[in-house]
Amino acid sequence: TDGFTDAANPNGQRFEEENLIKAFYDACHRCKTPQEILDYLFAQVQSFIGRQGIQNDDMTLIVFRIKHKPPELPSFTAAKVV
């Protein structure tokens, strides 16, 4: 939600979308589970805003893992050529 990007540090600087994208990219390379990614992202925002930061909005994220299943090969039936 926009609670992440609207979070501001004591100087009024917002976390912004660029920082969220960078943090998400870093999390995907550092973390092994969706929960670790969530924890990392929340920690990055908290670190950015600090104790005196401004966070008046909810922060909601959903992270899930997609397991790739190899595509099934089509089955072919032999046709009799006459």
Side-chain angles (χ1 to χ4, degrees):
T1 65
D2 64 347
F4 278 87
T5 55
D6 288 346
N9 66 18
N11 297 325
Q13 296 171 307
R14 292 177 37 199
F15 192 67
E16 299 289 351
E17 191 173 321
E18 290 175 11
N19 287 326
L20 181 58
I21 291 169
K22 182 185 179 307
F24 186 73
Y25 179 83
D26 291 344
C28 288
H29 287 88
R30 295 173 186 226
C31 304
K32 295 180 181 175
T33 68
Q35 185 61 53
E36 287 177 3
I37 292 171
L38 286 173
D39 294 343
Y40 181 84
L41 294 174
F42 278 97
Q44 292 301 303
V45 172
Q46 191 60 51
S47 175
F48 178 83
I49 65 173
R51 290 181 183 223
Q52 304 300 319
I54 303 165
Q55 176 50 38
N56 296 326
D57 199 356
D58 67 297
M59 294 193 308
T60 305
L61 282 178
I62 298 173
V63 177
F64 55 93
R65 179 189 327 234
I66 298 174
K67 294 183 179 183
H68 293 281
K69 181 179 175 185
E72 293 183 23
L73 297 174
S75 59
F76 295 98
T77 56
K80 191 173 190 182
V81 180
V82 187

